[in-house]
Amino acid sequence: GTGGLRGNLGVGDWRYDANLMVSRTRSKDSITWPLTERMNNIWVAELAPDGTPSQFTVTAQPGATAPGTYTCASNITDGAYNGGTCVPINMFDPNIFFGGHFSDAFYDYIYTKHTGSTKYNQETFNLVFDGSLFPLQGGDAKAAIGFEHRRDHINDQPAQARQDNALYGFSSASPTIGSDRVNELFAELQLPLLKDRPGVDLLELDGSVRYTRYRSYGSDITYHVNGQYAPISNIRFRANYGTNLRAPNLYEQFVADQVGFYPGEFDPCDAFADTNSPGSNVYENCLAQLTPLVDDPNTPENEALDYIVTGGGIQVTTQGGADLLDAEKAKTWGVGVVLTAPRHIADFSLAIDYWHVKVKDEVSLLGNLILSFCYDEDPADFATSPYCALIGPREPGQVLNGGGEISEFFNPYLNIAQQIASGIDFDARYATRLFGGKFSTQLQATRNIDQKQESFAGQGLTEYNGTLGYPGNGSGPKWVASLDTRFTTANDITFRWGVEYVGSADAYKFVDDVNLQPNGDPCTATSECVVWDYDLKGERYWEHGASIQWLWRNVGQFTIGVNNIFDEKPPTISLHPDSGGQYPRLGNFFANGPYAYRGRSVFVNVTKTFK
């Protein structure tokens, strides 16, 4: 619910505005899935006692070595039917083995519904006073001051079966419960210093300051300054500088242990001797850690050099960072110019802006990058690496029996030391009257200059600009752009053509050449090996779309269009074995890049306004 009051203070044009908002969000999520206990029960059968309902039994096939009618052992207590509803699975029945035809009773027993719930509460109160202070040549100086209070509370309860780790093949999840409060004081000032003077068409300064105090993260002051200067009406310069603050949200702070699994192939030591050169960090770290676990001193060869992951997956536990995380802080600045053609010449404008953003302590998850970064450390720093500290011990034993495999690793919300991004934005627009209608086109483009990241303090910044880098870790193409062209007829029918452009990006700088057999298998002492040429470059990508929009009076506004007209396919790259699972396929399956996910598509939108 929302309520508010506003009115005049009786002092000049000063006003007040007070608002109270109370928000309650309730949601449920359900999954129909087998319980591990029930999956185990269906495989253990005994002869059915008298009185067992037929729907909970199966009969052996003719000629079976153990004829008879069976039910689950869990349905029997002291030789008598105990009322259980388990139905054993008879894999010798061709209707099941070949056709997959199971009884309703079997499905009802196996597939049960499990429901979790989330409650999110928020209360917000703010009070703002605004009005004029004093006159300036360009107009009245204006100000606003205010106060805001927010309270947030989350209570996320996964389904009980997930809490108990009882869902078959599913990870466990614990409740997430927590709250936070924040109080803020803020002030804004607008100073129109000059206007319509010789050499000064416009000169204006704006500033704001905010004091923020989080119950969980203490207090800080942020500010922002913005200035505009136009010597003539057709040329305007602008600049800004500011600081920002964001405390971790409730989920980042309080998420309880969420257990999942990554593919075993994400282990950087998987076939490390075949995919890394001796002397490289990954090679030396894997060899040093695996040798005491899997090497048999009674054999001449070191079994660690033949290490290949044979198990199913690596357990990963996601954790909240309450009491450990710092708030994110950022400094931003930029300068730009806006050029506008005189209207008697053309309806044209061009804006060019340089921007620079530096973020410290960004709250993020590194995921399987923890594994990659750990084993890519200098061997001298391997034992003390903050990445490696999050990885559990490896299992001892023979390689073919799972020896050497990572037992688990932890994926907590962490503060990324720093990120730096900079670039130039271009925005050009042109419009004119044409054939009794209106034609307009707008080009927006960004040239990224820097996309740097340092995960832990002291590592140094890594430049990812123009590369595939790592998904979500400050990587991407140097150029992205879009073009939107429209023509609206005299009777208000609009034709639109749009183009999206994504520049190329590659990841060759992050990986080594890979030696494998011609069939792709790891090399051996007696095999023929070749250097494989992997495709690790996402090529330039163009996507076109078109639509027609018109108003059908008394019915609604209709839009019919086609996305990705030429069915442009997202670029694809190789699954490089030296990349820790970071480079699968670009486009549909890579977590980076604005590519079409479904190829060409046709859409129809209808909008109706009711009065």
Side-chain angles (χ1 to χ4, degrees):
T2 303
L5 295 172
R6 64 181 60 185
N8 296 321
L9 291 175
V11 180
D13 62 352
W14 278 79
R15 305 170 301 175
Y16 69 88
D17 192 339
N19 284 280
L20 173 65
M21 183 177 71
V22 178
S23 173
R24 297 290 184 265
T25 302
R26 303 291 183 264
S27 65
K28 291 185 177 182
D29 60 279
S30 298
I31 182 173
T32 301
W33 200 257
L35 294 169
T36 301
E37 179 184 21
R38 295 193 174 194
M39 287 295 292
N40 293 333
N41 288 343
I42 65 175
W43 296 100
V44 183
E46 295 183 6
L47 288 170
D50 293 338
T52 303
S54 60
Q55 65 266 35
F56 306 136
T57 66
V58 295
T59 301
Q61 296 300 110
T65 57
T69 300
Y70 291 82
T71 191
C72 297
S74 61
N75 292 347
I76 303 172
T77 303
D78 296 330
Y81 172 65
N82 60 18
T85 60
C86 176
V87 182
I89 186 169
N90 181 7
M91 293 305 295
F92 298 102
D93 184 344
N95 289 323
I96 293 176
F97 187 78
F98 294 107
H101 301 300
F102 297 96
S103 68
D104 290 342
F106 179 87
Y107 274 103
D108 291 342
Y109 178 77
I110 287 294
Y111 289 99
T112 53
K113 188 176 182 180
H114 310 278
T115 301
S117 65
T118 301
K119 297 179 180 179
Y120 180 75
N121 298 340
Q122 183 182 69
E123 295 90 35
T124 303
F125 171 76
N126 61 64
L127 176 63
V128 181
F129 301 93
D130 68 273
S132 300
L133 293 176
F134 47 82
L136 294 170
Q137 192 280 325
D140 289 338
K142 295 183 179 294
I145 56 174
F147 165 79
E148 183 168 302
H149 168 82
R150 296 191 305 275
R151 179 185 180 276
D152 299 285
H153 178 80
I154 188 172
N155 185 343
D156 178 71
Q157 296 288 335
Q160 191 61 49
R162 287 204 67 190
Q163 295 187 40
D164 298 338
N165 196 23
L167 288 183
Y168 180 74
F170 236 79
S171 58
S172 64
S174 301
T176 296
I177 303 173
S179 61
D180 205 357
R181 287 188 176 91
V182 58
N183 292 305
E184 294 183 302
L185 294 172
F186 56 88
E188 299 178 7
L189 181 64
Q190 183 182 40
L191 299 174
L193 300 176
L194 295 172
K195 185 177 182 181
D196 298 329
R197 301 292 293 270
V200 182
D201 183 71
L202 174 69
L203 179 60
E204 183 175 293
L205 288 177
D206 303 300
S208 63
V209 62
R210 183 177 293 259
Y211 169 81
T212 304
R213 180 171 182 80
Y214 285 91
R215 184 184 64 180
S216 54
Y217 291 93
S219 60
D220 206 343
I221 295 175
T222 56
Y223 58 90
H224 187 268
V225 179
N226 180 71
Q228 297 187 77
Y229 166 60
I232 59 176
S233 61
N234 305 112
I235 302 176
R236 177 161 51 96
F237 300 96
R238 55 192 182 189
N240 66 85
Y241 180 86
T243 60
N244 301 91
L245 173 75
R246 188 189 80 88
N249 61 38
L250 296 181
Y251 188 84
E252 294 165 342
Q253 293 184 58
F254 300 108
V255 60
D257 291 352
Q258 306 277 348
V259 178
F261 295 90
Y262 280 174
E265 292 78 6
F266 280 16
D267 182 351
C269 295
D270 183 28
F272 75 93
D274 302 313
T275 57
N276 298 271
S277 302
S280 67
N281 291 347
V282 174
Y283 186 99
E284 298 301 327
N285 289 331
C286 290
L287 182 64
Q289 192 169 67
L290 287 168
T291 296
L293 294 174
V294 303
D295 181 37
D296 184 351
N298 299 315
T299 60
E301 70 276 3
N302 185 343
E303 283 77 9
L305 296 173
D306 297 322
Y307 174 73
I308 298 176
V309 172
T310 59
I314 305 171
Q315 178 174 304
V316 54
T317 303
T318 301
Q319 300 172 314
D323 301 324
L324 298 175
L325 292 170
D326 294 323
E328 298 177 355
K329 296 181 180 180
K331 292 182 179 180
T332 65
W333 63 273
V335 294
V337 60
V338 181
L339 307 175
T340 305
R343 293 303 298 267
H344 67 276
I345 297 177
D347 185 357
F348 173 79
S349 64
L350 171 65
I352 304 174
D353 291 281
Y354 172 83
W355 48 269
H356 185 278
V357 179
K358 181 177 182 178
V359 180
K360 287 190 173 183
D361 295 325
E362 180 194 2
V363 177
S364 181
L365 293 171
L366 293 181
N368 55 308
L369 294 179
I370 292 171
L371 303 176
S372 301
F373 289 165
C374 167
Y375 283 87
D376 200 32
E377 289 274 22
D378 187 292
D381 302 324
F382 183 76
T384 58
S385 165
Y387 301 112
C388 300
L390 298 171
I391 303 174
R394 289 181 175 270
E395 303 290 348
Q398 296 180 346
V399 172
L400 295 179
N401 294 326
E405 294 184 1
I406 297 173
S407 58
E408 65 175 343
F409 77 96
F410 296 91
N411 183 32
Y413 278 95
L414 300 169
N415 287 116
I416 305 301
Q418 62 173 321
Q419 289 179 292
I420 296 176
S422 65
I424 302 176
D425 289 339
F426 302 88
D427 190 335
R429 180 186 177 278
Y430 172 73
T432 187
R433 305 299 300 183
L434 183 68
F435 301 130
K438 184 177 181 179
F439 170 86
S440 66
T441 185
Q442 184 171 16
L443 172 66
Q444 295 179 316
T446 296
R447 171 56 162 92
N448 293 304
I449 297 174
D450 284 314
Q451 298 183 71
K452 299 179 181 179
Q453 176 164 311
E454 179 183 33
S455 296
F456 286 96
Q459 284 185 318
L461 288 160
T462 300
E463 177 66 82
Y464 292 103
N465 191 41
T467 74
L468 298 171
Y470 296 99
N473 276 53
S475 59
K478 293 182 179 180
W479 279 100
V480 292
S482 65
L483 178 68
D484 186 284
T485 302
R486 299 169 185 251
F487 174 66
T488 302
T489 66
N491 53 352
D492 292 332
I493 298 176
T494 299
F495 298 86
R496 176 189 176 274
W497 186 278
V499 182
E500 298 288 337
Y501 170 77
V502 182
S504 62
D506 70 73
Y508 283 103
K509 65 180 288 186
F510 297 113
V511 299
D512 298 324
D513 291 335
V514 177
N515 295 302
L516 295 173
Q517 295 185 50
N519 63 0
D521 292 336
C523 295
T524 65
T526 60
S527 65
E528 175 190 358
C529 293
V530 297
V531 177
W532 277 55
D533 183 16
Y534 281 84
D535 179 8
L536 296 177
K537 183 176 181 179
E539 304 296 338
R540 295 181 180 89
Y541 176 84
W542 298 86
E543 181 183 328
H544 297 256
S547 65
I548 303 174
Q549 184 179 85
W550 73 95
L551 179 63
W552 187 348
R553 199 171 301 278
N554 299 324
V555 177
Q557 182 170 271
F558 286 75
T559 304
I560 298 176
V562 181
N563 290 320
N564 196 9
I565 291 176
F566 302 114
D567 197 19
E568 183 73 14
K569 300 295 190 299
T572 58
I573 59 175
S574 304
L575 179 56
H576 194 280
D578 189 28
S579 65
Q582 293 308 313
Y583 311 127
R585 169 190 170 111
L586 192 63
N588 294 13
F589 297 98
F590 194 74
N592 213 353
Y595 302 100
Y597 279 6
R598 299 183 180 179
R600 183 188 298 113
S601 61
V602 178
F603 65 90
V604 178
N605 293 331
V606 181
T607 303
K608 173 67 175 178
T609 301
F610 298 92
K611 297 182 179 180

